[in-house]
Amino acid sequence: MHHTHCRLLIILVTLLISEFVHSQENTELKVDTLVAKSEKPKLAINGSFRVHYKDEFYNETRKNEGGEFGFDLFNLVVSGSYKNFKVFADMRFMPPSSGGTMPKEGWIGYDFQNGDDIQVGLVQDPFGNLDYNSYSWFLGIGYALGFEGKYSMGAKYHHKGNTWDWQAAFMKNAMESFTNDPDLRDNQWSASVLGDNKEINQLSGQLLYKVKTNNFSHKIGVSGQFGQLYNFVEDKMGSRNAFAVHYNMDYKSLGIKAEVYKYEFNPKGMNSEYVDIGSFNYTYQVVSKGDVYALSAKYGIPFKGKSLNEITFYSEYGYLGKKYNLKGSQMLTNGVLIQVLDQIYTYVEYVAGYNHPFLGDNQASLYNDYSNKWHARLQCNIGYYF
C-alpha cells in the first residue's frame, strides 16, 4: 500500500511538472507573439539648409556686382516604417523666384520578404544612371531635358537581385499641380513637358547587370520609356519615347558614369520640332528629337582629420545632338566637393555651356536659337545636412 501511494505521488508530481513546463512554453510563445505584434512605427526626420553664391559671367545687368550670395533652400526629409510598410517625403522650401515650396519626392511603399519593394506616389523614373548621371551640384545636361533626376506621379516595382536588378514603373503624369496655368506648372523640381502639352501614361523600365570584385563595382544597364503627350488646347494625343544604354563604375575613390540615349517627343500642335520644358519657375524650349551623350568622373581624397573628411574632384561633359540640322548643345562642369564633419558639404563649380538655357539665358537654346560662344558661371553651394 505504501509503495502504491509513492507511485501515485510520483505520477502526480510528474504530471504537475509537465503541465507547468507546458504552460511556460505557451507563455513564452505568447510573449514572443506579443512582442512581434507590438512593433512600434519608426520615424526619422532629416534635411538640409543651403546657401548659394553665383557669378554669371554672361549676366550683363549684374556684371559689376561681383556675383550674388543668397538663400538656396531648406528641405525636410521624413521617412517612416511600420512592419513592411514605409513612407518617404522630401519637401523643398525655396525662394519664390525658384518656384517656392514644392515636393521633390514622396511615396508610400511596401517591402517584400525577398528584398523587392513597391512605391506609389511621386517616385523616381527608372531611366539612365540612378540616382543621377552626375556628381556635381548643378547636375548635367540630362536634367534640363527631363531625363536626370526625374520624378513623376505613379507606381514603381523594384527587384534588387545580387546580379540582376530591374525596375518597372507606370507614371500617370508628371508632378501635377492640378492647373493649366503656365505660371504655376513650372513650379516643380523635375524638368517636365509644359506649355500646351502634358506628360501622361508613361511605361518605364530598367535592367541592370551588376558585377562586383574585391575593389571594383560595375553596373551595366539599359532603360526605356514610352508615354503619351496630351495637348489640352487642341484635345489631341501625341507620344514620346526614349531608350538608353548606361554604365557606372566605382573603384575605391574613383567613379565613372556614362550614358547614351535617344529620345523623341511627338507633340500635337503648331510646331512639332520643339516642346516646352520647365522647372524651378523657368520654362524653355527643347528640340523634340535628339541624341544625348554624357560622361562624368570623380576622384575622392579621404582625410583622417577631426574636421575635414574628404575632398572630391569631378568633371562632367554632356552633348545634345539635335535633329532637323540644328546646332548641338554642350555642357561642361568642373568642380570640387569638400566634406566636413559628415554634415557640411561645399560644392565649388565652374560650369560652361554652349547653346544651354541655364547658361546664357536664351530660352530657345536647346532648340534652334544659338550664339556662337560659350557662356560660363562660377558657383559655390554650402549646405548643412542633418
Side-chain angles (χ1 to χ4, degrees):
M1 186 71 178
H2 177 73
H3 293 293
T4 302
H5 285 299
C6 287
R7 281 195 293 270
L8 289 172
L9 182 61
I10 291 171
I11 292 171
L12 181 60
V13 170
T14 302
L15 289 172
L16 288 172
I17 292 174
S18 175
E19 180 63 21
F20 176 77
V21 171
H22 179 69
S23 66
Q24 290 301 301
E25 289 174 348
N26 287 342
T27 302
E28 291 173 1
L29 215 68
K30 290 178 181 178
V31 168
D32 289 341
T33 304
L34 288 172
V35 168
K37 289 184 178 179
S38 63
E39 179 185 344
K40 295 182 179 180
K42 298 177 182 178
L43 182 68
I45 299 177
N46 304 99
S48 67
F49 176 82
R50 303 192 325 224
V51 293
H52 192 71
Y53 167 82
K54 64 177 180 178
D55 190 358
E56 300 170 334
F57 305 133
Y58 50 85
N59 193 334
E60 295 294 333
T61 60
R62 294 185 172 175
K63 193 172 184 179
N64 296 325
E65 292 184 27
E68 303 168 274
F69 184 55
F71 168 67
D72 178 29
L73 67 77
F74 171 73
N75 82 297
L76 285 176
V77 179
V78 179
S79 57
S81 63
Y82 179 62
K83 296 186 177 180
N84 287 50
F85 290 94
K86 55 187 179 180
V87 64
F88 181 89
D90 185 348
M91 285 296 299
R92 304 280 166 126
F93 304 89
M94 303 166 60
S97 59
S98 298
T101 301
M102 66 182 71
K104 174 190 174 185
E105 179 181 6
W107 42 261
I108 297 172
Y110 182 85
D111 287 327
F112 296 94
Q113 295 296 328
N114 64 351
D116 294 2
D117 78 335
I118 189 170
Q119 300 173 2
V120 179
L122 182 58
V123 300
Q124 186 170 33
D125 191 359
F127 187 87
N129 279 319
L130 302 176
D131 288 333
Y132 310 101
N133 192 65
S134 309
Y135 301 106
S136 64
W137 175 85
F138 204 56
L139 300 181
I141 197 169
Y143 171 79
L145 301 171
F147 294 104
E148 182 177 351
K150 175 71 171 186
Y151 296 84
S152 299
M153 299 298 302
K156 176 172 67 173
Y157 186 94
H158 189 180
H159 171 70
K160 306 170 185 178
N162 293 326
T163 303
W164 293 98
D165 184 298
W166 59 267
Q167 300 183 54
F170 172 73
M171 305 301 189
K172 183 63 186 75
N173 42 251
M175 175 56 208
E176 183 60 73
S177 54
F178 300 106
T179 178
N180 292 333
D181 187 342
D183 291 333
L184 298 176
R185 290 185 65 208
D186 59 4
N187 293 345
Q188 54 180 289
W189 196 89
S190 296
S192 303
V193 175
L194 302 175
D196 296 341
N197 296 284
K198 287 185 175 180
E199 301 177 4
I200 64 171
N201 302 333
Q202 174 182 300
L203 290 173
S204 297
Q206 181 183 91
L207 179 64
L208 286 181
Y209 178 68
K210 301 185 292 187
V211 181
K212 287 188 178 181
T213 62
N214 292 334
N215 295 319
F216 282 92
S217 172
H218 305 272
K219 295 179 183 178
I220 306 167
V222 293
S223 301
Q225 61 178 228
F226 176 81
Q228 295 177 303
L229 280 178
Y230 175 59
N231 189 304
F232 55 83
V233 174
E234 300 191 13
D235 192 23
K236 294 181 179 180
M237 193 71 71
S239 65
R240 58 197 169 92
N241 64 80
F243 178 79
V245 178
H246 37 91
Y247 172 72
N248 187 355
M249 185 275 286
D250 287 297
Y251 172 71
K252 296 182 178 180
S253 298
L254 176 66
I256 294 175
K257 295 181 180 181
E259 61 184 22
V260 177
Y261 54 94
K262 176 187 292 290
Y263 73 86
E264 287 188 8
F265 296 103
N266 299 298
K268 300 294 184 180
M270 296 295 293
N271 192 334
S272 62
E273 289 190 1
Y274 73 87
V275 291
D276 292 312
I277 287 183
S279 64
F280 296 116
N281 195 32
Y282 185 49
T283 300
Y284 47 92
Q285 296 175 358
V286 171
V287 66
S288 60
K289 297 181 181 181
D291 302 319
V292 180
Y293 308 86
L295 176 65
S296 302
K298 71 161 186 175
Y299 183 76
I301 303 175
F303 290 85
K304 296 182 180 180
K306 294 182 179 179
S307 298
L308 183 61
N309 287 7
E310 186 173 83
I311 295 179
T312 302
F313 298 91
Y314 52 85
S315 183
E316 303 173 355
Y317 175 76
Y319 178 81
L320 167 62
K322 306 171 186 176
K323 302 302 181 183
Y324 314 113
N325 296 317
L326 302 174
K327 187 177 286 291
S329 295
Q330 301 180 64
M331 182 176 178
L332 178 63
T333 302
N334 290 301
V336 57
L337 167 62
I338 304 170
Q339 182 180 344
V340 178
L341 297 176
D342 285 329
Q343 292 171 308
I344 301 175
Y345 289 75
T346 300
Y347 292 85
V348 182
E349 301 175 345
Y350 182 85
V351 188
Y354 186 87
N355 293 343
H356 198 298
F358 298 171
L359 301 155
D361 289 334
N362 189 337
Q363 290 181 278
S365 54
L366 284 177
Y367 169 48
N368 193 15
D369 294 346
Y370 60 88
S371 60
N372 292 313
K373 62 182 296 185
W374 285 77
H375 297 288
R377 64 192 288 176
L378 177 67
Q379 59 192 19
C380 176
N381 189 274
I382 305 172
Y384 181 87
Y385 295 77
F386 58 89

